[in-house]
Amino acid sequence: MILTRRSFTLGAAALGAATAAGGVRAAPAGGMLDTIILGAGMAGLNTAWLLEQQGQKVMVLEARQRVGGRVFTLLDQPGTPEMGFNAMAAGYGRGIDAAKRAGVELYDVAPRYRAAGGMALVLDGKPLTREQWAASPLNPFPAPFKTAMPWEIVNKIVAAKTPLADWTEWTDPKNAALDVSLRDFLKSQGLSDPAITLAYDTAPYYGTSAFDVSALMLEFNDGFIKTQALAGPQSLAVKGGNSRLPMAMAKLLKGDLLLGKEAVGIVSEADAASVRCADGSTYRAKRIVCALPFAVMRRIKFAPGLSGVQAQAVATLGTQPLSAAFFTIKSRYWDVDTLNPSMWTDGFAGTVQAQLFGTTDSEVTGLMVQGRGTLARYWDRLGKPAALELITHSIEAARPAAKGQISPVTLHSWESEQFSAGAWAVFGPGQVHTLAPTMAAPAGRIHFCGEHTATGARGLEGALESSERVAIEVLSA
Ligand SMILES: Cc1cc2nc3c(=O)[nH]c(=O)nc-3n(C[C@H](O)[C@H](O)[C@H](O)COP(=O)(O)OP(=O)(O)OC[C@H]3O[C@@H](n4cnc5c(N)ncnc54)[C@H](O)[C@@H]3O)c2cc1C
């Protein structure tokens, strides 16, 4: 499929030209393309726009039949639930700017979530209030943290005890001594193994356990979050669904954006570079930008092959197992059992987040159920229908008032989806100082960007940061 500036519709002639199997796509009128960008996620789309602003002839090739990558809204479901990217913090200057430029409206969803009052704790299938948890013999946390909920502990400890003097220097080799596992760091702060298992491994945001992730990555994250908080308490989402942002950014492009174009081979030569797609088509340009997760690039054949730290990073940089299931609801069963509709569980239902995207602040438009780490992988092994059934039963067992009141719609596994291979990059212990400083360096005529290559911001803002770096790199090459 081909997207043009004017429309998202398919032009038969254009499609024929774009998918001519085995053929090298001719250069557009006026000479060879300057840059081909692989991937129409936020990093790829913004790189394309930045390069076009500097007069470059650009083409974007996207493997999926949609743009946005990890920004993915179910536009046909109540409340337009977000299976991927949720919200920008107040200090997302690049994200806010991109939204303005693309003409989409941002609104603050934070007040709704603050008013909703957090999440209920459900352990071993039983709900516990904060007071009950503080007094529970099962509570493995040291005295200062007895009243904290399990999901609050790790961030609190990292925020209070981070040894990283300047979070913006997290990748600097001078901080190599801090590039230890999160588990080692938490142990040094007095957490026992059972406490780490409950507070981190049950629903990890990075890896499958505290052994998997570098403490430096969490310390970088902490610095980024604190800086965002200084900018304000807002949490900004796109009116009508976040996917509208990359869709609108795609429309700003002058060059072609071809959908269904999975890059499988990239060749960097002395005077040009070319991309081969799974459908046999080939495209040439002066430079190629890979705006793709490294885990996805493992399946792409590079000639010459990548080498050194870069090859190691592509082969080994971790990605986050995370799956999200969306449920619609038939009634306000939480008024019956008086528990918060949102729950953090140590069971098969993972984390249940009431969606508050209705016309009033308290209207619940559905449930987003997230499995992270080993739970996401367990759902994947079960397969979609069985996993959705298990989640349904687990929610109903924890709160009988929900019985018959929730209906599964879909489950999306970011790890098993071949064009993401995970929700975000995870630097393991030792990987920050060895990989991060040089892994995104250009290889011949090939350049790299994407959230995993950002060093001064995270998430969507990181993806945009990386697009600025790569655009400058391409323009000054
Ligand atoms: C569940 C979830 C929640 C999140 N919440 C937040 C949040 O609240 N705030 C925040 O800031 N960030 C959040 N993020 C992260 C944010 O969405 C990402 O960091 C950002 O969207 C990544 O953009 P990207 O362009 O680097 O990568 P991607 O969005 O992954 O873009 C890569 C693109 O490349 C395409 N592609 C893959 N393989 C090929 C190939 N071989 N050939 C051609 N194209 C290919 C993909 O289809 C995709 O479109 C969340 C992510 C997830 C999954």
Coordinates of all heavy atoms in Angstrom, one line a residue, residues 39-44 61-64 68-71 83-87 92 261-263 291-293 296 300 322 370 414 419 423-424 450-451 458-461 463, ligand 1:
G39 N 10.9 1.9 8.6 CA 10.1 2.0 9.8 C 9.4 3.3 9.9 O 10.0 4.3 9.9
A40 N 8.0 3.2 9.9 CA 7.2 4.4 10.1 C 6.6 4.5 11.5 O 5.5 4.8 11.7 CB 6.1 4.4 9.0
G41 N 7.5 4.2 12.5 CA 7.2 4.6 13.9 C 7.5 6.0 14.1 O 7.8 6.8 13.1
M42 N 7.4 6.5 15.3 CA 7.6 7.9 15.6 C 9.0 8.4 15.1 O 9.2 9.5 14.6 CB 7.4 8.2 17.1 CG 6.0 8.1 17.5 SD 4.9 9.2 16.7 CE 5.4 10.8 17.5
A43 N 10.1 7.5 15.4 CA 11.4 7.9 15.0 C 11.6 8.0 13.5 O 12.1 9.0 13.0 CB 12.4 6.9 15.5
G44 N 11.0 7.0 12.8 CA 11.2 7.1 11.3 C 10.4 8.2 10.7 O 10.9 8.9 9.8
L61 N 9.8 3.1 4.1 CA 9.3 1.8 3.9 C 8.9 1.2 5.2 O 9.6 1.2 6.2 CB 10.4 0.9 3.3 CG 11.0 1.3 2.0 CD1 12.1 0.4 1.5 CD2 9.9 1.4 0.9
E62 N 7.6 0.8 5.3 CA 7.1 0.3 6.6 C 6.5 -1.2 6.4 O 5.8 -1.4 5.4 CB 5.9 1.2 7.0 CG 5.0 0.6 8.1 CD 5.7 0.2 9.4 OE1 6.6 0.9 9.9 OE2 5.4 -0.9 9.9
A63 N 6.9 -2.1 7.3 CA 6.6 -3.5 7.1 C 5.1 -3.8 7.3 O 4.5 -4.6 6.7 CB 7.4 -4.3 8.1
R64 N 4.5 -3.1 8.3 CA 3.1 -3.3 8.6 C 2.2 -2.6 7.6 O 2.6 -1.8 6.8 CB 2.8 -2.8 10.0 CG 3.4 -3.6 11.2 CD 3.0 -3.0 12.5 NE 3.3 -3.7 13.7 CZ 4.2 -3.4 14.6 NH1 5.0 -2.3 14.4 NH2 4.4 -4.1 15.7
G68 N 3.0 4.0 12.8 CA 2.9 4.2 14.2 C 3.7 3.3 15.0 O 4.1 3.6 16.2
G69 N 3.9 2.0 14.5 CA 4.7 1.1 15.3 C 4.1 0.8 16.7 O 3.0 0.4 16.8
R70 N 4.9 1.2 17.7 CA 4.4 1.0 19.1 C 3.4 2.0 19.6 O 3.1 2.0 20.8 CB 5.6 0.8 20.0 CG 6.3 -0.5 19.8 CD 7.6 -0.6 20.5 NE 8.7 -0.1 19.7 CZ 10.0 0.1 20.0 NH1 10.3 -0.2 21.3 NH2 10.9 0.5 19.2
V71 N 3.0 2.9 18.7 CA 1.9 3.8 19.0 C 0.7 3.1 18.3 O 0.6 3.1 17.1 CB 2.1 5.2 18.5 CG1 0.9 6.1 18.9 CG2 3.4 5.8 19.1
M83 N -3.1 0.2 23.0 CA -2.4 -1.1 23.2 C -0.9 -0.8 23.4 O -0.2 -1.7 23.9 CB -2.6 -2.1 22.0 CG -4.0 -2.3 21.7 SD -5.0 -2.9 23.1 CE -4.6 -4.6 23.2
G84 N -0.4 0.3 22.9 CA 1.0 0.7 23.1 C 1.1 2.0 23.8 O 0.5 2.1 24.9
F85 N 1.8 2.9 23.2 CA 2.1 4.2 23.9 C 0.9 4.8 24.5 O -0.2 4.9 23.9 CB 2.6 5.2 22.8 CG 2.6 6.6 23.2 CD1 3.6 7.1 24.1 CD2 1.6 7.5 22.7 CE1 3.5 8.4 24.5 CE2 1.6 8.8 23.1 CZ 2.5 9.3 24.0
N86 N 1.0 5.3 25.8 CA -0.1 5.8 26.5 C -0.1 7.4 26.5 O -1.1 7.9 26.1 CB 0.0 5.4 28.0 CG -0.6 4.0 28.2 OD1 -1.8 3.8 28.2 ND2 0.2 3.0 28.1
A87 N 0.9 7.9 27.1 CA 0.9 9.4 27.3 C 2.2 10.1 27.3 O 3.2 9.4 27.6 CB 0.1 9.7 28.6
Y92 N 7.7 16.6 27.5 CA 7.9 16.1 26.2 C 7.9 17.2 25.1 O 6.9 17.2 24.3 CB 6.9 15.0 25.8 CG 7.1 13.6 26.3 CD1 7.7 13.4 27.6 CD2 6.8 12.5 25.6 CE1 7.9 12.1 28.1 CE2 7.0 11.2 26.0 CZ 7.5 11.0 27.3 OH 7.8 9.7 27.7
K261 N 6.0 -3.2 3.4 CA 7.4 -3.3 2.8 C 8.4 -3.8 3.9 O 9.0 -2.9 4.6 CB 7.8 -2.0 2.2 CG 7.1 -1.7 1.0 CD 7.6 -2.5 -0.2 CE 6.8 -2.4 -1.4 NZ 7.3 -3.3 -2.5
E262 N 8.5 -5.1 4.1 CA 9.4 -5.6 5.2 C 10.8 -5.6 4.6 O 11.1 -6.4 3.6 CB 9.0 -7.0 5.6 CG 10.0 -7.5 6.7 CD 9.7 -9.0 7.0 OE1 8.8 -9.6 6.5 OE2 10.5 -9.5 7.7
A263 N 11.7 -4.8 5.2 CA 13.1 -4.9 4.7 C 13.7 -6.2 5.2 O 13.6 -6.5 6.4 CB 13.9 -3.7 5.3
A291 N 15.1 2.9 11.3 CA 14.4 3.3 12.5 C 13.7 2.1 13.0 O 12.4 2.1 13.2 CB 13.4 4.4 12.1
L292 N 14.4 1.0 13.3 CA 13.8 -0.3 13.6 C 14.5 -0.7 15.0 O 15.6 -0.5 15.2 CB 14.2 -1.3 12.6 CG 14.0 -1.0 11.1 CD1 14.7 -2.0 10.2 CD2 12.5 -0.9 10.8
P293 N 13.7 -1.4 15.8 CA 14.3 -2.0 17.0 C 15.4 -3.0 16.6 O 15.3 -3.7 15.6 CB 13.1 -2.8 17.6 CG 11.9 -2.2 17.0 CD 12.2 -1.7 15.7
V296 N 14.5 -6.6 15.9 CA 13.9 -6.8 14.6 C 15.0 -6.9 13.6 O 14.9 -7.7 12.6 CB 12.9 -5.6 14.3 CG1 12.6 -5.6 12.8 CG2 11.6 -5.7 15.1
I300 N 17.5 -9.1 9.6 CA 17.8 -8.4 8.3 C 19.3 -8.7 8.0 O 20.2 -8.7 8.9 CB 17.7 -6.9 8.5 CG1 16.2 -6.6 8.7 CG2 18.2 -6.1 7.2 CD1 15.8 -5.1 8.9
L322 N 5.9 -7.9 27.0 CA 4.7 -7.2 27.5 C 3.6 -7.6 26.6 O 3.7 -7.5 25.4 CB 5.0 -5.7 27.6 CG 3.9 -4.9 28.2 CD1 4.5 -3.6 28.8 CD2 2.8 -4.5 27.2
Q370 N -2.5 -5.9 31.7 CA -1.1 -6.0 31.2 C -0.4 -7.2 31.9 O -0.4 -7.3 33.1 CB -0.4 -4.7 31.5 CG 0.4 -4.2 30.3 CD 1.1 -2.9 30.6 OE1 1.9 -2.8 31.5 NE2 0.8 -1.9 29.7
W414 N 3.4 -7.8 22.4 CA 4.5 -7.0 21.7 C 5.7 -7.8 21.5 O 6.5 -7.5 20.5 CB 4.8 -5.7 22.6 CG 3.7 -4.7 22.5 CD1 2.8 -4.4 23.4 CD2 3.4 -3.8 21.4 NE1 1.9 -3.5 23.0 CE2 2.3 -3.1 21.7 CE3 4.0 -3.6 20.1 CZ2 1.7 -2.1 20.8 CZ3 3.5 -2.7 19.2 CH2 2.3 -2.0 19.6
F419 N 7.3 -7.4 14.2 CA 7.9 -6.1 13.8 C 8.2 -5.2 15.0 O 8.5 -4.0 14.8 CB 7.0 -5.4 12.8 CG 6.8 -6.2 11.5 CD1 5.6 -6.5 11.0 CD2 8.0 -6.7 10.8 CE1 5.5 -7.3 9.8 CE2 7.9 -7.4 9.7 CZ 6.6 -7.7 9.2
A423 N 8.4 -4.6 23.9 CA 7.7 -3.3 24.1 C 8.8 -2.2 24.1 O 8.4 -1.1 23.6 CB 7.0 -3.3 25.4
W424 N 10.0 -2.4 24.6 CA 11.0 -1.4 24.5 C 12.3 -2.1 24.8 O 12.4 -3.2 25.3 CB 10.8 -0.3 25.5 CG 10.3 -0.7 26.8 CD1 11.0 -1.3 27.8 CD2 8.9 -0.6 27.3 NE1 10.2 -1.6 28.9 CE2 8.9 -1.1 28.6 CE3 7.7 0.0 26.8 CZ2 7.7 -1.2 29.4 CZ3 6.6 -0.1 27.6 CH2 6.6 -0.7 28.8
G450 N 15.8 5.3 16.7 CA 14.7 4.6 17.4 C 14.9 4.7 18.9 O 16.0 5.1 19.4
E451 N 13.8 4.4 19.7 CA 13.9 4.7 21.1 C 15.1 4.1 21.8 O 15.6 4.6 22.7 CB 12.6 4.3 21.8 CG 12.2 2.8 21.7 CD 12.8 1.9 22.8 OE1 13.2 2.3 23.9 OE2 12.9 0.6 22.5
R458 N 13.3 9.1 27.2 CA 12.8 7.8 27.1 C 11.5 7.7 26.3 O 10.9 8.7 26.0 CB 12.5 7.2 28.5 CG 13.8 7.2 29.4 CD 14.0 5.9 30.2 NE 13.1 4.8 29.8 CZ 13.4 3.9 28.9 NH1 14.6 4.0 28.2 NH2 12.6 2.9 28.6
G459 N 11.2 6.5 25.9 CA 9.9 6.3 25.3 C 9.7 7.1 24.0 O 10.6 7.2 23.2
L460 N 8.5 7.6 23.8 CA 8.2 8.3 22.6 C 9.1 9.6 22.4 O 9.6 9.9 21.3 CB 6.7 8.8 22.6 CG 6.3 9.5 21.4 CD1 4.9 9.0 20.9 CD2 6.1 11.0 21.7
E461 N 9.4 10.2 23.5 CA 10.3 11.4 23.4 C 11.7 11.0 23.0 O 12.4 11.7 22.3 CB 10.3 12.1 24.8 CG 11.0 13.4 24.8 CD 10.3 14.6 24.1 OE1 9.3 14.3 23.4 OE2 10.9 15.7 24.1
A463 N 12.4 8.4 21.1 CA 12.3 8.0 19.7 C 12.5 9.3 18.9 O 13.2 9.4 17.9 CB 11.0 7.4 19.3
Ligands
LIG1 C1 2.5 -1.0 25.9 C2 3.4 0.2 25.6 C3 3.2 1.4 26.4 C4 4.0 2.5 26.2 N1 3.7 3.6 26.9 C5 4.5 4.7 26.7 C6 4.2 5.9 27.4 O1 3.3 6.0 28.1 N2 5.1 7.0 27.2 C7 6.1 6.9 26.3 O2 6.9 7.9 26.1 N3 6.4 5.8 25.6 C8 5.6 4.7 25.8 N4 5.8 3.6 25.1 C9 7.0 3.5 24.2 C10 6.8 4.2 22.9 O3 5.6 3.8 22.3 C11 8.0 3.9 22.0 O4 9.2 4.2 22.6 C12 8.0 4.6 20.6 O5 6.8 4.6 20.0 C13 9.0 3.9 19.8 O6 9.1 4.4 18.5 P1 10.2 4.0 17.4 O7 9.9 4.7 16.2 O8 11.5 4.0 18.0 O9 9.9 2.4 17.2 P2 8.6 1.7 16.6 O10 7.4 2.4 17.0 O11 8.7 0.2 17.0 O12 8.8 1.8 15.0 C14 9.5 0.9 14.2 C15 8.7 0.7 13.0 O13 9.5 -0.2 12.1 C16 8.6 -1.1 11.5 N5 9.3 -2.3 11.1 C17 9.8 -3.3 11.9 N6 10.5 -4.1 11.1 C18 10.5 -3.6 9.9 C19 11.2 -4.1 8.7 N7 11.9 -5.2 8.6 N8 11.0 -3.3 7.6 C20 10.3 -2.2 7.6 N9 9.7 -1.7 8.7 C21 9.8 -2.5 9.8 C22 7.5 -1.4 12.6 O14 6.4 -1.9 12.0 C23 7.4 0.0 13.2 O15 6.4 0.8 12.5 C24 5.0 2.5 25.2 C25 5.2 1.3 24.4 C26 4.4 0.2 24.6 C27 4.6 -1.0 23.8

